[in-house]
Amino acid sequence: MSAELNPESTAFRSALEVVRSVEPRIADAIAKELHDQRESLKLIASENYASPAVLLAMGNWLSDKYAEGTIGRRFYAGCQNVDTVEAVAVEHAKALFGAEYAYVQPHSGIDANLVAYWAILADRVEVPYLKKFSKRQVNDLTDAEWAELRAAFGNQRMLGMSLDAGGHLTHGFRPNISGKMFDQRSYGVDPATGQIDYKALRDTAKEFKPLIIVGGYSAYPRKVNFATLREIADEVGATFMVDMAHFAGLVAGKVFTGDFNPIEHAHIVTTTTHKSLRGPRGGAVFAQESLASQVDRGCPMVLGGPLAHVMAAKAIAFAEARRPEFATYAQQIVTNSQALAEGLLKRGVQLVSGGTDNHLVLIDVHPFGLTGRQAEQALLDSGVVTNRNAIPNDPNGAWYTSGIRIGTPALTSRGLGAAEMDTIAELIHTVLSSTKPAEGSKAKFQLDESVSDSVSKQANELLAGFPLYPSVDLG
Ligand code: PLP
């Protein structure tokens, strides 16, 4: 190995050599993933590129340690180093977000939400003893029995954003356990503006009287006024939770402040750490001190043993996000997203809500005669990686959809700016306007190969000026 290699190249090359000695196919797949990511125009709103320091903090013997429990109070011996790691991650997380309390153990965003729901239930609901259910398996319960159980527990209700307006499955929808735990009612957007209808939300909350109001989203392109949501929660006696998984980077980077900063207004806030926040794959919970002891029970109530190696990487990511450069990065994410929206609008592309205030843009592909599924694949065939998404009142449902969600956190990490966003808008418009749906199919389509090849080539040329992980040379 060359002596002149920088530390990142040396570290990753050495790691791959060690992995290769056991199973070359895994080493090859890891190396190929870097190659593929370097070549792809990644517009997936929920993805990013973590720093080499974040990635390297995960590949070590912290992974070998069991550490159920909390800092200084573990169910296993010998956790002093995990205690240090978790305490440093918590210290950075609290300082970064200005939170009273932080819990950095959740393995993912879904896990963080489950921890939060359980903490709220434990805090607010008196548990009855129901003999009838004592020997039953939850998987065998009928819907009616679930309803009976919920009623006995105080009929817990959740009010969250509807899926087609951009909400997430974990906000009380059937494919997730939250849909069993809670009676769910949704709030949506005003069809005229595509933005949250706060008046309708307030009316629904007053009538439904939820235990929890959930703010936050996966596919809503606008700011949310969390101060107003808190006001509504207070009016109806609900606990106000925000899932900031998508926009945590914009909160950390002080783009969302005041009424738009969930930490200032919610009783409890959950997040992922790997999207706009640019950390390792994982989750976290922030709460007011009064909920801390319930959240601390996350493991083993909801979570398996903490992943100490990932908590180490979270500490690195939180520390990175406390640097002034991160605020510049977060602002650039939004500048880029707005430039992309403008580039699309000026080419006649229809956007849900007519634009964006955050890291994502939602294209309505209906005017092109396409479903989201067709548009997603046509773009992918042309080297542009996006994902399909439902739009408000989507006529094509959640599978085929009528929307394409695009986001800028990843390309902003690569250094692309507003000028490049205009070029990308041109590429997207070229693909969408050249794609024709196949007769009678919501999935098949025709796209001239010369178009997809030309767009792919232009996308590659664009990316060549913005190398990904420039400090990492795998040889
Ligand atoms: N919450 C929101 C708003 C999300 O968008 C997502 C993932 O896309 C999650 C939670 C779940 O995160 P994870 O995949 O880490 O479980």
Side-chain angles (χ1 to χ4, degrees), residues 46 107-111 113 168 170-171 216-218 243-246 272 274-275 281-282 405:
S46 50
H107 307 168
S108 74
I110 285 190
D111 293 5
N113 285 349
H168 190 257
T170 53
H171 302 174
Y217 52 80
S218 299
D243 176 352
M244 65 171 180
H246 257 262
T272 56
H274 49 274
K275 303 186 205 274
R281 191 153 287 281
R405 187 185 68 166

mmCIF file of all heavy atoms in Angstrom, residues 46 107-111 113 168 170-171 216-218 243-246 272 274-275 281-282 405, ligand 1:
data_model
loop_
_atom_site.group_PDB
_atom_site.id
_atom_site.type_symbol
_atom_site.label_atom_id
_atom_site.label_comp_id
_atom_site.label_asym_id
_atom_site.label_seq_id
_atom_site.Cartn_x
_atom_site.Cartn_y
_atom_site.Cartn_z
ATOM 1 N N SER A 46 -34.940 11.092 1.076
ATOM 2 C CA SER A 46 -34.640 10.555 2.402
ATOM 3 C C SER A 46 -33.206 10.029 2.505
ATOM 4 O O SER A 46 -32.853 9.438 3.522
ATOM 5 C CB SER A 46 -35.618 9.420 2.717
ATOM 6 O OG SER A 46 -35.644 8.508 1.641
ATOM 7 N N HIS A 107 -32.940 2.303 16.898
ATOM 8 C CA HIS A 107 -32.178 1.763 15.777
ATOM 9 C C HIS A 107 -32.621 2.356 14.453
ATOM 10 O O HIS A 107 -31.952 2.183 13.442
ATOM 11 C CB HIS A 107 -32.343 0.237 15.706
ATOM 12 C CG HIS A 107 -32.036 -0.454 16.995
ATOM 13 N ND1 HIS A 107 -32.346 -1.764 17.232
ATOM 14 C CD2 HIS A 107 -31.452 -0.008 18.138
ATOM 15 C CE1 HIS A 107 -31.967 -2.099 18.456
ATOM 16 N NE2 HIS A 107 -31.431 -1.056 19.018
ATOM 17 N N SER A 108 -33.796 2.977 14.454
ATOM 18 C CA SER A 108 -34.321 3.522 13.207
ATOM 19 C C SER A 108 -35.431 4.520 13.551
ATOM 20 O O SER A 108 -35.789 4.677 14.733
ATOM 21 C CB SER A 108 -34.910 2.399 12.343
ATOM 22 O OG SER A 108 -36.142 1.976 12.908
ATOM 23 N N GLY A 109 -35.992 5.146 12.517
ATOM 24 C CA GLY A 109 -37.074 6.101 12.743
ATOM 25 C C GLY A 109 -38.336 5.431 13.255
ATOM 26 O O GLY A 109 -39.034 5.968 14.135
ATOM 27 N N ILE A 110 -38.640 4.267 12.716
ATOM 28 C CA ILE A 110 -39.837 3.548 13.164
ATOM 29 C C ILE A 110 -39.695 3.218 14.652
ATOM 30 O O ILE A 110 -40.627 3.386 15.438
ATOM 31 C CB ILE A 110 -40.055 2.269 12.314
ATOM 32 C CG1 ILE A 110 -40.590 2.661 10.938
ATOM 33 C CG2 ILE A 110 -40.986 1.294 13.020
ATOM 34 C CD1 ILE A 110 -41.070 1.512 10.075
ATOM 35 N N ASP A 111 -38.521 2.763 15.031
ATOM 36 C CA ASP A 111 -38.291 2.423 16.439
ATOM 37 C C ASP A 111 -38.438 3.659 17.326
ATOM 38 O O ASP A 111 -38.994 3.587 18.430
ATOM 39 C CB ASP A 111 -36.886 1.838 16.631
ATOM 40 C CG ASP A 111 -36.721 0.501 15.958
ATOM 41 O OD1 ASP A 111 -37.655 0.071 15.266
ATOM 42 O OD2 ASP A 111 -35.654 -0.116 16.117
ATOM 43 N N ASN A 113 -40.301 6.210 16.819
ATOM 44 C CA ASN A 113 -41.729 6.527 16.966
ATOM 45 C C ASN A 113 -42.400 5.576 17.957
ATOM 46 O O ASN A 113 -43.229 5.998 18.767
ATOM 47 C CB ASN A 113 -42.422 6.479 15.608
ATOM 48 C CG ASN A 113 -42.079 7.705 14.772
ATOM 49 O OD1 ASN A 113 -41.510 8.662 15.286
ATOM 50 N ND2 ASN A 113 -42.408 7.681 13.504
ATOM 51 N N HIS A 168 -46.602 9.671 7.300
ATOM 52 C CA HIS A 168 -45.829 8.420 7.270
ATOM 53 C C HIS A 168 -46.650 7.281 7.861
ATOM 54 O O HIS A 168 -47.499 7.496 8.729
ATOM 55 C CB HIS A 168 -44.527 8.605 8.070
ATOM 56 C CG HIS A 168 -43.569 7.470 7.885
ATOM 57 N ND1 HIS A 168 -43.383 6.494 8.830
ATOM 58 C CD2 HIS A 168 -42.770 7.154 6.848
ATOM 59 C CE1 HIS A 168 -42.483 5.625 8.391
ATOM 60 N NE2 HIS A 168 -42.087 6.006 7.191
ATOM 61 N N THR A 170 -46.077 5.194 10.020
ATOM 62 C CA THR A 170 -46.009 5.029 11.479
ATOM 63 C C THR A 170 -46.883 6.031 12.224
ATOM 64 O O THR A 170 -46.896 6.036 13.455
ATOM 65 C CB THR A 170 -44.557 5.194 11.986
ATOM 66 O OG1 THR A 170 -44.057 6.442 11.497
ATOM 67 C CG2 THR A 170 -43.676 4.072 11.513
ATOM 68 N N HIS A 171 -47.585 6.880 11.482
ATOM 69 C CA HIS A 171 -48.443 7.865 12.145
ATOM 70 C C HIS A 171 -49.881 7.343 12.237
ATOM 71 O O HIS A 171 -50.838 8.072 11.995
ATOM 72 C CB HIS A 171 -48.377 9.220 11.417
ATOM 73 C CG HIS A 171 -46.984 9.780 11.330
ATOM 74 N ND1 HIS A 171 -46.658 10.915 10.627
ATOM 75 C CD2 HIS A 171 -45.813 9.343 11.880
ATOM 76 C CE1 HIS A 171 -45.358 11.151 10.740
ATOM 77 N NE2 HIS A 171 -44.830 10.210 11.494
ATOM 78 N N GLY A 216 -45.313 16.336 11.277
ATOM 79 C CA GLY A 216 -44.171 15.729 10.582
ATOM 80 C C GLY A 216 -44.646 14.925 9.402
ATOM 81 O O GLY A 216 -45.840 14.606 9.286
ATOM 82 N N TYR A 217 -43.724 14.581 8.522
ATOM 83 C CA TYR A 217 -44.108 14.054 7.212
ATOM 84 C C TYR A 217 -42.935 13.387 6.505
ATOM 85 O O TYR A 217 -41.777 13.560 6.903
ATOM 86 C CB TYR A 217 -44.608 15.217 6.341
ATOM 87 C CG TYR A 217 -43.612 16.361 6.308
ATOM 88 C CD1 TYR A 217 -42.488 16.317 5.489
ATOM 89 C CD2 TYR A 217 -43.755 17.476 7.149
ATOM 90 C CE1 TYR A 217 -41.560 17.340 5.480
ATOM 91 C CE2 TYR A 217 -42.825 18.515 7.139
ATOM 92 C CZ TYR A 217 -41.729 18.436 6.310
ATOM 93 O OH TYR A 217 -40.792 19.432 6.312
ATOM 94 N N SER A 218 -43.285 12.689 5.413
ATOM 95 C CA SER A 218 -42.271 12.128 4.519
ATOM 96 C C SER A 218 -42.290 12.807 3.159
ATOM 97 O O SER A 218 -41.338 12.670 2.391
ATOM 98 C CB SER A 218 -42.534 10.644 4.268
ATOM 99 O OG SER A 218 -42.489 9.928 5.449
ATOM 100 N N ASP A 243 -42.574 14.144 14.338
ATOM 101 C CA ASP A 243 -41.615 13.234 13.715
ATOM 102 C C ASP A 243 -40.852 14.058 12.682
ATOM 103 O O ASP A 243 -41.348 14.336 11.595
ATOM 104 C CB ASP A 243 -42.383 12.082 13.059
ATOM 105 C CG ASP A 243 -41.478 11.130 12.295
ATOM 106 O OD1 ASP A 243 -40.285 11.437 12.138
ATOM 107 O OD2 ASP A 243 -41.980 10.086 11.840
ATOM 108 N N MET A 244 -39.627 14.475 13.060
ATOM 109 C CA MET A 244 -38.863 15.352 12.151
ATOM 110 C C MET A 244 -37.846 14.564 11.329
ATOM 111 O O MET A 244 -36.830 15.114 10.880
ATOM 112 C CB MET A 244 -38.188 16.489 12.926
ATOM 113 C CG MET A 244 -37.124 16.077 13.911
ATOM 114 S SD MET A 244 -36.242 17.571 14.526
ATOM 115 C CE MET A 244 -35.064 16.817 15.635
ATOM 116 N N ALA A 245 -38.122 13.257 11.148
ATOM 117 C CA ALA A 245 -37.171 12.387 10.445
ATOM 118 C C ALA A 245 -36.623 13.027 9.176
ATOM 119 O O ALA A 245 -35.419 12.992 8.919
ATOM 120 C CB ALA A 245 -37.837 11.061 10.107
ATOM 121 N N HIS A 246 -37.504 13.614 8.383
ATOM 122 C CA HIS A 246 -37.063 14.142 7.082
ATOM 123 C C HIS A 246 -36.286 15.441 7.199
ATOM 124 O O HIS A 246 -35.310 15.646 6.482
ATOM 125 C CB HIS A 246 -38.267 14.342 6.159
ATOM 126 C CG HIS A 246 -38.350 13.256 5.149
ATOM 127 N ND1 HIS A 246 -37.883 13.400 3.877
ATOM 128 C CD2 HIS A 246 -38.797 11.990 5.255
ATOM 129 C CE1 HIS A 246 -38.047 12.268 3.220
ATOM 130 N NE2 HIS A 246 -38.606 11.396 4.032
ATOM 131 N N THR A 272 -35.040 10.415 12.447
ATOM 132 C CA THR A 272 -34.000 9.513 11.972
ATOM 133 C C THR A 272 -32.721 10.333 11.971
ATOM 134 O O THR A 272 -32.764 11.565 12.035
ATOM 135 C CB THR A 272 -34.262 9.024 10.531
ATOM 136 O OG1 THR A 272 -34.394 10.164 9.680
ATOM 137 C CG2 THR A 272 -35.510 8.183 10.433
ATOM 138 N N HIS A 274 -30.264 9.632 9.555
ATOM 139 C CA HIS A 274 -29.554 9.383 8.286
ATOM 140 C C HIS A 274 -30.084 10.163 7.083
ATOM 141 O O HIS A 274 -29.611 9.967 5.982
ATOM 142 C CB HIS A 274 -29.598 7.891 7.970
ATOM 143 C CG HIS A 274 -30.967 7.276 8.073
ATOM 144 N ND1 HIS A 274 -31.468 6.797 9.260
ATOM 145 C CD2 HIS A 274 -31.933 7.088 7.164
ATOM 146 C CE1 HIS A 274 -32.688 6.324 9.069
ATOM 147 N NE2 HIS A 274 -33.000 6.499 7.803
ATOM 148 N N LYS A 275 -31.104 10.988 7.287
ATOM 149 C CA LYS A 275 -31.642 11.696 6.108
ATOM 150 C C LYS A 275 -30.945 13.069 6.007
ATOM 151 O O LYS A 275 -29.737 13.092 5.855
ATOM 152 C CB LYS A 275 -33.156 11.802 6.223
ATOM 153 C CG LYS A 275 -33.853 10.427 6.373
ATOM 154 C CD LYS A 275 -35.352 10.601 6.337
ATOM 155 C CE LYS A 275 -36.108 9.507 7.046
ATOM 156 N NZ LYS A 275 -36.384 8.335 6.262
ATOM 157 N N ARG A 281 -27.382 5.385 9.782
ATOM 158 C CA ARG A 281 -28.763 4.887 9.773
ATOM 159 C C ARG A 281 -29.204 4.679 11.227
ATOM 160 O O ARG A 281 -28.617 3.852 11.938
ATOM 161 C CB ARG A 281 -28.758 3.565 9.006
ATOM 162 C CG ARG A 281 -30.076 2.995 8.633
ATOM 163 C CD ARG A 281 -29.932 2.136 7.406
ATOM 164 N NE ARG A 281 -29.742 2.996 6.249
ATOM 165 C CZ ARG A 281 -30.709 3.653 5.626
ATOM 166 N NH1 ARG A 281 -31.960 3.521 6.011
ATOM 167 N NH2 ARG A 281 -30.449 4.436 4.609
ATOM 168 N N GLY A 282 -30.208 5.402 11.689
ATOM 169 C CA GLY A 282 -30.634 5.252 13.082
ATOM 170 C C GLY A 282 -31.710 6.253 13.444
ATOM 171 O O GLY A 282 -32.221 6.967 12.584
ATOM 172 N N ARG A 405 -41.330 12.140 -5.946
ATOM 173 C CA ARG A 405 -40.725 12.943 -4.875
ATOM 174 C C ARG A 405 -39.231 13.095 -5.152
ATOM 175 O O ARG A 405 -38.547 12.097 -5.413
ATOM 176 C CB ARG A 405 -40.937 12.225 -3.536
ATOM 177 C CG ARG A 405 -40.509 13.021 -2.341
ATOM 178 C CD ARG A 405 -40.626 12.206 -1.060
ATOM 179 N NE ARG A 405 -39.648 11.113 -1.024
ATOM 180 C CZ ARG A 405 -39.343 10.423 0.071
ATOM 181 N NH1 ARG A 405 -39.957 10.680 1.210
ATOM 182 N NH2 ARG A 405 -38.452 9.448 0.036
HETATM 183 N N1 PLP B 1 -40.700 8.790 9.981
HETATM 184 C C1 PLP B 1 -40.692 9.420 8.797
HETATM 185 C C2 PLP B 1 -41.389 10.748 8.671
HETATM 186 C C3 PLP B 1 -40.062 8.845 7.686
HETATM 187 O O1 PLP B 1 -40.086 9.455 6.502
HETATM 188 C C4 PLP B 1 -39.434 7.577 7.854
HETATM 189 C C5 PLP B 1 -38.757 6.885 6.744
HETATM 190 O O2 PLP B 1 -38.817 7.146 5.623
HETATM 191 C C6 PLP B 1 -39.465 6.963 9.106
HETATM 192 C C7 PLP B 1 -40.124 7.590 10.146
HETATM 193 C C8 PLP B 1 -38.894 5.608 9.321
HETATM 194 O O3 PLP B 1 -37.503 5.628 9.378
HETATM 195 P P1 PLP B 1 -36.686 4.251 9.356
HETATM 196 O O4 PLP B 1 -36.682 3.774 7.964
HETATM 197 O O5 PLP B 1 -35.325 4.646 9.852
HETATM 198 O O6 PLP B 1 -37.356 3.318 10.302
#
